[in-house]
Amino acid sequence: AVTIASATATSATTVDLSWNAAAGAASYDVYYRLTSGSYGAVYSNTAGTTATVSGLTANTSYTFKIVAKNAVGVGATRTSAESAALTSPGAISNLAVTSPASGQASLSWSNPGGATSYTVKRGTVSGTWGTTVVTQAGTTYTDSGLTDGQTYFYVVYANNGTDSAVSNEDSIRPISSFSITSTSAVSSTSIQVDWGTATGAATYEVYLGTSTGSYNATPAATVSAPTVTATLTGLTAGTTYYIQVQAKNTVGGVTTTRSTAEEDQITPLGAPTISGIVATPGQAVVSWSTVNTATSYRLYWGTSTGDTSGGFFDITAPTTSYTHTALTNGQAYFYTVRSYNGAYSAYSTEASVKPIESFTVSSTIATATTITVNWTTPVLGADSFDIQYRTGADAWTTLASQNPGDTIGGLTASTTYDIRLVGKNTQGVTTSITTASVSRTTALGAPSGFALASTDGTVGASWTNNAASSYKLFRATTTGGYNYASPVATVASTPTTDSPTADGSTYYYVVRANNGSDSVDSTELSVRPIAAVTIASATATSATTVDLSWNAAAGAASYDVYYRLTSGSYG
């Protein structure tokens, strides 16, 4: 008799058969069929007692029989009893591994058909799976207690009483949990993010959003481990950003991601720009640019560069100026400003100013073509002075960098000019203070046609009137030596006379016109008055001659003798 000793499924498509050697048998034929149906021969004239039936269908029950035979005489056959075998399930081909949490691997696969259980195996070297993790009926499994940063390789066997071939291998490297350790606004357009090390991470990606839980699709920064910091740039000032860091690695074609909790950070506002400072005696008005979304501004001040020890003033937006009072004239003040909307911006660029005290024009002295201007110095805060002048509503003409006692020249005689002073300094923002204006009328031009005549010790002076309110006649005993405070005559118009005290002396004269201010001198003239001349005797010494004698007249250099008949003209 022939008996099938074993019928074992060795794969999803093969069954190994073995039977006893039957006495008298020369060879064996192997037959199989499905559980129902007709047998078909697989192998014929097999001399041995084993055979592998291949090309079968996975997870299918087959029935086998062996026919022993010989060809002696008419030949003989002997058929074994039937034996059944179930082929293994097909191999799993879609094993996928992910890492849902620190120290875990999550496996999933599909039933290849006919499997009643599955065996999960794990190893730390590709192709070697020494650890049986679990045998179970389900098609998902979470493997816990793994070491973060270690790469694990997994396979699964399907089983229906017989294990299938091995599944595809998949691998994973778990990443440890980690968190953001700090965020800080580096500037109004950048944030620095720092986080703890995530064991198993190959890279880190930093994601930003402007609403909680919603991030831009493209990371704001990507760095490779072991770097655990990034500076995010190009941001908008005064904006709250929500930040998440993702640790990643790609192992076996699968990317593992571990994310931190969300943190938020507001960027400071942009720094304002001080647009101007206007200083007046004892105060300064500081102005700056508007910063969008600022709720307030803080203005700092001090009395030296970089110094904010003077204090600060908080100004509610949208106001962008502040009047700083009770300042000391001549003292420099330094200012910087920050914007605020929950966080302060950087400091603005520093600006400075120096207030100037009030001062006035103290006096003016006019001639026909000049006005001399005086004021009292020093003026606290003023480093230089300009003199400005004009007539009527004309534009002001400026003489820069003047000193007290300097003169405005080239003016028109008998014209009223408005005059004012501008005190200036160049401490930071240039500061100037302008005095009230004063009016001054230039003197008339010198009288023309000045002439002198002297008779009997008296000097007569005449000139051409030029609309002056008065005229002053000055006398000196040396050329130019006039005492302008003591004219010898002040008259409303020409002519006038003067009686010097000493005939025979030379005297020098000028005349000035006056309309509130004296004009310059007229042409200088000189004269020497002659004392009275008296004929002492006139004696006829012949029928045709008369002898004359007279006294010597002080001041006379020579004498002319004239005669005439009783009536008629002198010859």
Side-chain angles (χ1 to χ4, degrees):
V2 179
T3 302
I4 296 175
S6 64
T8 304
T10 54
S11 75
T13 59
T14 61
V15 173
D16 287 349
L17 299 172
S18 68
W19 56 90
N20 65 294
S27 64
Y28 304 91
D29 292 340
V30 177
Y31 293 85
Y32 80 97
R33 67 174 182 177
L34 295 176
T35 305
S36 63
S38 300
Y39 279 106
V42 182
Y43 301 106
S44 298
N45 301 319
T46 297
T49 58
T50 62
T52 297
V53 180
S54 59
L56 305 180
T57 300
N59 194 47
T60 303
S61 293
Y62 290 90
T63 301
F64 299 89
K65 68 179 181 179
I66 306 298
V67 178
K69 62 183 182 177
N70 64 41
V72 178
V74 295
T77 62
R78 183 62 60 85
T79 299
S80 71
E82 291 179 336
S83 183
L86 177 64
T87 54
S88 303
I92 294 167
S93 60
N94 64 345
L95 172 63
V97 185
T98 60
S99 179
S102 172
Q104 291 184 349
S106 181
L107 291 75
S108 65
W109 60 90
S110 297
N111 188 334
T116 57
S117 64
Y118 304 92
T119 299
V120 178
K121 290 184 175 289
R122 180 186 70 213
T124 56
V125 177
S126 179
T128 302
W129 314 291
T131 301
T132 297
V133 178
V134 70
T135 297
Q136 64 174 31
T139 57
T140 61
Y141 182 73
T142 298
D143 191 12
S144 302
L146 305 181
T147 299
D148 292 319
Q150 171 67 56
T151 300
Y152 294 92
F153 300 86
Y154 289 90
V155 293
V156 178
Y157 294 88
N159 187 279
N160 63 352
T162 303
D163 283 341
S164 69
V166 69
S167 69
N168 62 295
E169 180 185 74
D170 202 7
S171 55
I172 199 74
R173 181 166 56 209
I175 299 173
S176 66
S177 299
F178 70 112
S179 61
I180 295 174
T181 57
S182 68
T183 63
S184 60
V186 179
S187 72
S188 61
T189 58
S190 61
I191 293 174
Q192 180 174 317
V193 184
D194 297 282
W195 57 89
T197 297
T199 303
T203 60
Y204 298 95
E205 293 177 349
V206 183
Y207 288 86
L208 282 180
T210 53
S211 60
T212 182
S214 178
Y215 311 107
N216 296 332
T218 302
T222 300
V223 299
S224 297
T227 301
V228 289
T229 184
T231 299
L232 316 179
T233 59
L235 308 182
T236 301
T239 302
T240 299
Y241 287 92
Y242 298 88
I243 305 165
Q244 183 185 77
V245 180
Q246 293 184 359
K248 289 187 175 183
N249 66 46
T250 300
V251 175
V254 175
T255 298
T256 298
T257 300
R258 191 78 61 239
S259 299
T260 65
E262 180 182 84
E263 296 286 341
D264 62 90
Q265 175 66 54
I266 186 170
T267 52
L269 292 171
T273 299
I274 293 179
S275 55
I277 305 178
V278 178
T280 53
Q283 69 177 31
V285 179
V286 186
S287 301
W288 54 89
S289 61
T290 298
V291 176
N292 290 335
T293 75
T295 57
S296 65
Y297 302 93
R298 177 167 284 187
L299 177 67
Y300 300 83
W301 68 277
T303 55
S304 61
T305 184
D307 171 30
T308 57
S309 63
F312 60 84
F313 308 101
D314 285 326
I315 299 95
T316 302
T319 301
T320 55
S321 67
Y322 183 77
T323 301
H324 190 189
T325 59
L327 304 186
T328 300
N329 295 317
Q331 170 67 60
Y333 292 87
F334 297 79
Y335 296 92
T336 184
V337 64
R338 300 168 82 184
S339 54
Y340 180 82
N341 70 346
Y344 283 105
S345 73
Y347 290 90
S348 71
T349 300
E350 182 182 77
S352 63
V353 75
K354 182 166 62 178
I356 300 172
E357 70 174 336
S358 298
F359 69 111
T360 61
V361 177
S362 59
S363 68
T364 57
I365 302 171
T367 69
T369 58
T370 66
I371 297 175
T372 299
V373 184
N374 288 289
W375 63 93
T376 301
T377 58
V379 174
L380 291 177
D383 298 329
S384 65
F385 301 90
D386 294 343
I387 296 174
Q388 294 184 331
Y389 65 97
R390 70 177 181 181
T391 58
D394 291 347
W396 292 95
T397 297
T398 299
L399 301 178
S401 301
Q402 302 294 295
N403 295 304
D406 283 351
T407 296
I408 306 169
L411 305 181
T412 301
S414 193
T415 301
T416 299
Y417 288 88
D418 293 325
I419 301 161
R420 67 187 187 184
L421 299 170
V422 180
K424 300 190 298 184
N425 66 53
T426 55
Q427 172 65 53
V429 177
T430 299
T431 296
S432 64
I433 180 173
T434 303
T435 67
S437 64
V438 298
S439 294
R440 182 72 185 190
T441 302
T442 52
L444 291 167
S448 61
F450 183 43
L452 296 176
S454 176
T455 58
D456 297 330
T458 298
V459 176
S462 63
W463 55 87
T464 301
N465 288 335
N466 62 353
S469 59
S470 65
Y471 300 89
K472 296 178 181 179
L473 181 67
F474 297 92
R475 178 185 69 218
T477 57
T478 59
T479 181
Y482 305 104
N483 179 3
Y484 293 110
S486 300
V488 296
T490 299
V491 295
S493 63
T494 187
T496 190
T497 60
D498 179 39
S499 299
T501 58
D503 290 329
S505 297
T506 300
Y507 295 94
Y508 299 86
Y509 288 88
V510 294
V511 66
R512 287 183 168 185
N514 184 280
N515 63 346
S517 296
D518 287 346
S519 72
V520 295
D521 293 347
S522 67
T523 301
E524 183 183 67
L525 297 176
S526 62
V527 69
R528 183 185 298 160
I530 300 172
V533 178
T534 303
I535 296 174
S537 64
T539 304
T541 55
S542 71
T544 58
T545 60
V546 173
D547 287 342
L548 298 173
S549 68
W550 58 85
N551 64 293
S558 64
Y559 301 92
D560 292 337
V561 178
Y562 294 85
Y563 73 94
R564 68 175 180 171
L565 295 176
T566 303
S567 62
S569 301
Y570 280 102

